[in-house]
Amino acid sequence: MKYISTRGNAPELTFEEVLLTGLAEDGGLYVPKDVPQYTLAEIESWRDLPYAELAHKVIYPFVEGSVDSEALQTILNEVYGGFAHKAVAPLQQIDHNEYVLELFHGPTLAFKDFALQTLGRLLDYVLERRHEKVVIMGATSGDTGSAAIEGTKACKNVDIFILHPHGKVSEVQRRQMTTVKGDNIFNIAIEGNFDQAQDMVKASFGNQGFLKGERKLVAVNSINWARIMSQIVYYFYSSLNLGGPLRPMAYSVPTGNFGDIFAGYMAKKMGLPIDQLVIATNSNDVLHRLMSKNQYEVHPLQHTITPSMDIAVSSNFERLLFDLYDRDGAALAELMGRMNAKKDVVSLDEEKLAKARVLFDSFAVSEDDTVKVMQDVFAETGYLLDPHTAIGVKAARETRRNNNIPMITLGTAHPVKFEDAVKRAGFDMPNLPHHLTDLMDREERLDVLPADLEAVHKFIAQKTFK
């Protein structure tokens, strides 16, 4: 499998090289040069596979030539054998033909465990073979950080630095990052917002001189293809559990950086019958404004009760645009230059946007409506949604095209992670799962730094070359 940059001016890479690269040298994101295609009969033959074996079927074509087939299966068995629910990604029915896909049974109670537990083990596999050490640098608006740390804490060849906006993630999310012990783990609280942290990470990949040429940076944010690849699996798994691929499904995805919903788009390209993908956002609604009005304009970031979606710029949307613009890297580079300038309102070619609207719908949900959906679903079913999932349910109900096919909302996190939203909805906090019962008593370790790239680079260099 070879990978190409969305901006068309970077070398083709293998999966192993993409895993260790992050952004392409031309500023683009790597995508597969060719997408594996499956017939309905082939997908149907996977119906009875347990999650880890299905994951091998979906993932192996993307890593072939870089990761041995048996080694991949061993990694996947280890990853998903550590989830708290034997089904790994169980479905919870909340109404007729309406479901929540529970993606929070991993060690950090969020969907990002699916990808980051796998990514950490793949990194160790590749780095051991190459006799190399790397620096992981990532930004998080909530869940990515803890999942990345949990997934890579045992990696012998990695130092990990996670930036989060100081005081702007929930206490459970922060403690899941800052209480993990390890000499290779560093939490940096940035005196700014998530987009500033993400911009610093992107800038660091463009200029890695602070690492003196002795290490290279590796991305754990969803710009890393290994993240997207792992998330494709649960679309196949949920579909097969509800009668797919013999009938289509619809999915509503709470999204900030567009990675999780892009995985659904990839599943569709691979042959899974998906009738509709709903982009569900909070008041940071840049994608909804683009999809509904064809107006791309970056607004100031708003901090909400759904902090994992408090993102003003959705990095992975570039991967979809690459396909909409017929994989024309030069055309996309010009478009991204205008979009990233953040100066003017940018509109897409109407014909290109029309192609997206065939599959995608979008909806932005207010905080009041988020809380009301949490209350309504609990009153109807006794089931407590986390606020991000509630946004997905509301968006699904507002935009649903066909009531005769299942609508599946991705349940992205456990409600225990979001105390403000749960209490605002009038509920008592659920108990932390057994492996986290002492979380509030654990010692925290973090460093508060200004939102200044030079200061962050100096800190990373000091800790890496101590």
Side-chain angles (χ1 to χ4, degrees):
M1 173 68 76
K2 291 289 188 179
Y3 291 81
I4 57 175
S5 169
T6 52
R7 300 193 191 177
N9 197 26
E12 292 184 8
L13 299 183
T14 64
F15 171 77
E16 179 174 324
E17 292 166 332
V18 165
L19 179 70
L20 299 175
T21 298
L23 281 175
E25 62 184 38
D26 61 1
L29 303 182
Y30 276 105
V31 292
K33 186 176 182 180
D34 301 295
V35 176
Q37 301 284 317
Y38 299 102
T39 66
L40 295 182
E42 287 174 308
I43 297 171
E44 168 72 14
S45 73
W46 301 344
R47 178 177 305 283
D48 297 322
L49 293 179
Y51 195 92
E53 291 181 29
L54 176 65
H56 186 280
K57 293 283 189 185
V58 173
I59 291 172
Y60 184 64
F62 293 109
V63 305
E64 191 171 5
S66 294
V67 181
D68 177 76
S69 176
E70 290 185 12
L72 177 64
Q73 189 64 72
T74 298
I75 286 170
L76 296 170
N77 289 343
E78 289 176 358
V79 168
Y80 299 117
F83 276 49
H85 197 297
K86 196 168 183 181
V88 182
L91 284 154
Q92 174 75 35
Q93 188 167 6
I94 59 172
D95 202 345
H96 176 68
N97 254 357
E98 189 177 7
Y99 299 84
V100 170
L101 178 62
E102 294 187 343
L103 301 177
F104 48 76
H105 294 287
T108 71
L109 314 181
F111 78 97
K112 293 172 183 180
D113 287 324
F114 281 81
L116 286 164
Q117 288 286 312
T118 307
L119 186 148
R121 287 167 172 83
L122 287 171
L123 272 176
D124 233 17
Y125 173 87
V126 166
L127 292 171
E128 278 289 304
R129 189 172 64 199
R130 294 165 66 109
H131 305 292
E132 292 180 12
K133 292 191 174 184
V134 299
V135 170
I136 287 177
M137 185 179 181
T140 185
S141 57
D143 290 328
T144 292
S146 57
I149 289 169
E150 194 68 33
T152 57
K153 66 181 181 182
C155 293
K156 295 174 284 195
N157 303 298
V158 168
D159 287 320
I160 180 166
F161 297 82
I162 296 295
L163 285 63
H164 72 268
H166 185 43
K168 297 181 176 71
V169 300
S170 77
E171 184 175 12
V172 169
Q173 287 176 313
R174 187 191 73 244
R175 285 179 172 274
Q176 283 185 302
M177 293 186 284
T178 60
T179 61
V180 179
K181 295 179 180 179
D183 292 337
N184 64 331
I185 299 167
F186 302 94
N187 286 281
I188 302 173
I190 294 295
E191 293 175 320
N193 60 40
F194 169 77
D195 284 300
Q196 289 174 292
Q198 182 165 253
D199 285 346
M200 284 193 280
V201 171
K202 288 181 177 179
S204 299
F205 276 89
N207 180 9
Q208 300 188 24
F210 66 102
L211 294 175
K212 308 173 185 178
E214 297 179 30
R215 299 276 188 100
K216 67 188 304 185
L217 282 183
V218 171
V220 293
N221 284 42
S222 55
I223 61 171
N224 192 313
W225 175 256
R227 288 273 304 271
I228 306 291
M229 170 187 80
S230 299
Q231 292 165 335
I232 297 169
V233 180
Y234 43 70
Y235 287 91
F236 280 88
Y237 186 73
S238 55
S239 174
L240 286 164
N241 273 276
L242 290 176
L246 303 181
R247 62 172 176 166
M249 303 289 154
Y251 290 88
S252 179
V253 187
T255 192
N257 234 354
F258 203 74
D260 211 12
I261 196 165
F262 185 78
Y265 169 76
M266 284 298 302
K268 167 88 169 176
K269 287 186 71 173
M270 293 168 72
L272 189 68
I274 296 177
D275 188 65
Q276 180 186 16
L277 288 170
V278 180
I279 301 166
T281 77
N282 61 14
S283 53
N284 296 293
D285 60 349
V286 63
L287 291 178
H288 173 58
R289 284 182 279 113
L290 178 62
M291 292 298 298
S292 60
K293 301 176 184 176
N294 197 8
Q295 296 176 354
Y296 182 90
E297 182 181 21
V298 178
H299 289 179
L301 191 73
Q302 298 184 48
H303 298 288
T304 72
I305 58 173
T306 46
S308 298
M309 298 163 68
D310 288 346
I311 297 172
V313 178
S314 297
S315 297
N316 281 292
F317 195 65
E318 180 170 339
R319 286 182 159 122
L320 177 64
L321 288 172
F322 184 55
D323 278 3
L324 296 181
Y325 278 74
D326 302 314
R327 299 199 141 201
D328 183 339
L332 188 64
E334 187 275 331
L335 174 66
M336 295 309 300
R338 289 190 287 127
M339 294 174 82
N340 291 336
K342 304 177 185 178
K343 293 179 180 177
D344 302 309
V345 177
V346 177
S347 295
L348 305 185
D349 181 299
E350 284 289 350
E351 182 182 331
K352 313 298 187 190
L353 185 58
K355 289 197 296 185
R357 287 171 170 161
V358 172
L359 178 62
F360 290 94
D361 287 288
S362 66
F363 195 80
V365 182
S366 69
E367 288 198 347
D368 286 345
D369 282 345
T370 301
V371 169
K372 188 172 188 309
V373 170
M374 293 173 70
Q375 295 167 333
D376 289 348
V377 170
F378 188 84
E380 295 159 1
T381 66
Y383 187 69
L384 181 59
L385 300 170
D386 103 281
H388 304 78
T389 308
I391 283 177
V393 170
K394 175 66 173 177
R397 291 175 174 178
E398 292 291 336
T399 63
R400 191 170 186 176
R401 300 177 183 178
N402 186 344
N403 290 328
N404 295 323
I405 66 172
M407 170 61 81
I408 302 166
T409 294
L410 270 54
T412 51
H414 194 292
V416 75
K417 302 185 79 164
F418 304 103
E419 183 174 8
D420 288 350
V422 171
K423 289 188 172 177
R424 182 165 161 182
F427 300 113
D428 293 331
M429 282 296 291
N431 293 326
L432 284 162
H434 178 72
H435 71 283
L436 292 174
T437 50
D438 64 341
L439 180 66
M440 298 302 172
D441 300 322
R442 298 176 189 173
E443 180 184 357
E444 290 192 80
R445 296 189 310 160
L446 78 161
D447 292 271
V448 180
L449 296 179
D452 176 75
L453 186 60
E454 186 177 344
V456 171
H457 282 178
K458 183 178 180 181
F459 177 85
I460 293 175
Q462 286 174 341
K463 298 300 182 182
T464 302
F465 304 111
K466 57 184 181 291

